[in-house]
Structures are given as C-alpha cells and as structure tokens.
Amino acid sequence: MAHNFILIGPMGAGKSTIGRLLAKELRLPFRDSDKEIERRTGASIPLIFDVEGEQGFREREHHAIADLCQLVGVVLATGGGAVLRPENRRVLQMGGRIIYLCTSVDQQLDRTSRDRNRPLLQTANPRKVLTDLMAIRDPLYREIADVVVETDERPPRLVVGEILERLRSLPPRESRDETALS
C-alpha cells in the first residue's frame, strides 16, 4: 500500500533539499534515510564506510529504509545507492510513490565538489566514479520510478511544482497518498 512520497536518484540530485520543500508543500514530515542511519549509529556516513565498508553501510541502509517505508504519510529522501538491492527496490515500491530526481554527472560534480561526506567520491577521479555509478544505477531508478523529473539548472521550487503536477496526473493506486495532493 503506497502512502509516502519517496525521492530516489544520484548524490547531488537535490533529494534532501527538494524533499524538505515537497514535505512542506504537502504538510508532511520529511525523513532522510542517511540521517536516520547516522541517528541510529551515532556515527557519520563516512565513518561507517571507514569502519564497516560499503557492505556494512548497505546493510544498515536496508534496515533503515524498511523501517522508514512502514511510516504513514512522509516524504522520504533515500541515499543514491538505496536502489542497488532488489529487496530495497521492492520495499520502496510498496512504500509509496517514487520520484526519481534525475541529474547529469556535471551537475553532480558541481553540487558535491566541496562535500567531504561523500565517501564514494574521495578519489582522484570523481567524474569517473559518478559516470560509472550512473551507468549502473540509472536503469534501477527508472525501473521503480512513478515519476522522473530533471533537476539540472532548475530552482528547487520549480522542481517541486513539477513533481506535484506530475503526481496529480498519475492514475490512483490503492493508497492514501493521493489524498495529500488534493
């Protein structure tokens, strides 16, 4: 049963910023799966990667997403790699309407260049990392998305307006999520 609005997409697509604005517009609470992981562990994402590796982080991410998708009436921003596990994709699809915030590698580089909290980008060639990640993840984002919205060079409020418009035009699902759009 869908009852949430879930933002997926690569790092730097604007999931947290747009998610907060969307939540405000819909008068719903905003949740962020990465922030939930940090809250539960008391550790930053980079520290979790350092200590447990990506596999340890992905396990924590799976549990956080499964729990967050049980909530009713939230806007949820997920981490860029949340779609890698098939079980996460299933949970997300059952958890609500999925909005894929699509962005270019150039925009990702621009938005993440000074951010030290991106463990996967702490490398000599972040462009190659982002390009490789996009090749793997873009088909997975598209596979589960109800709506795909481009965010490149667009103000967040304009993106939120498009999301709301696109969500209103979707056929109803056996859910409560459309009531928030009325």
Side-chain angles (χ1 to χ4, degrees):
M1 176 187 304
H3 42 258
N4 301 315
F5 301 93
I6 302 166
L7 300 173
I8 63 171
M11 63 182 95
K15 297 182 298 288
S16 295
T17 300
I18 290 165
R20 282 187 198 90
L21 290 171
L22 181 62
K24 186 175 179 182
E25 196 68 32
L26 293 171
R27 296 183 183 94
L28 295 173
F30 173 73
R31 302 298 290 272
D32 181 304
S33 64
D34 283 351
K35 296 292 181 221
E36 179 66 13
I37 293 164
E38 289 179 337
R39 186 191 66 73
R40 289 178 180 196
T41 62
S44 69
I45 301 298
L47 181 60
I48 295 168
F49 265 77
D50 284 348
V51 174
E52 300 179 0
E54 185 173 357
Q55 190 59 35
F57 171 76
R58 295 291 171 215
E59 191 61 29
R60 290 182 181 279
E61 179 179 59
H62 169 68
H63 292 291
I65 286 171
D67 292 346
L68 290 166
C69 284
Q70 294 300 310
L71 298 174
V72 176
V74 298
V75 174
L76 171 62
T78 62
V83 297
L84 292 172
R85 287 186 170 191
E87 59 268 29
N88 283 356
R89 294 194 300 275
R90 280 192 298 277
V91 167
L92 291 168
Q93 284 181 295
M94 290 172 34
R97 290 290 193 174
I98 300 176
I99 301 110
Y100 171 21
L101 299 182
C102 188
T103 192
S104 67
V105 170
D106 284 340
Q107 190 76 65
Q108 286 180 273
L109 280 168
D110 186 53
R111 291 178 181 164
T112 62
S113 64
R114 292 165 297 284
D115 189 343
R116 298 291 158 238
N117 287 324
R118 311 279 186 172
L120 295 177
L121 295 185
Q122 304 313 306
T123 177
N125 191 348
R127 176 178 294 280
K128 179 172 176 11
V129 170
L130 291 172
T131 301
D132 292 348
L133 290 175
M134 187 60 84
I136 294 164
R137 296 175 179 181
D138 181 68
L140 301 174
Y141 296 139
R142 290 180 187 281
E143 171 189 314
I144 64 170
D146 292 298
V147 172
V148 178
V149 177
E150 295 284 335
T151 66
D152 277 16
E153 306 294 330
R154 298 180 68 204
R157 290 198 183 284
L158 188 65
V159 173
V160 168
E162 181 179 341
I163 289 168
L164 292 170
E165 188 178 305
R166 303 272 305 279
L167 287 170
R168 283 187 190 104
S169 70
L170 290 175
R173 285 197 334 200
E174 68 219 44
S175 68
R176 291 172 266 178
D177 62 2
E178 275 72 32
T179 58
L181 295 172
S182 304

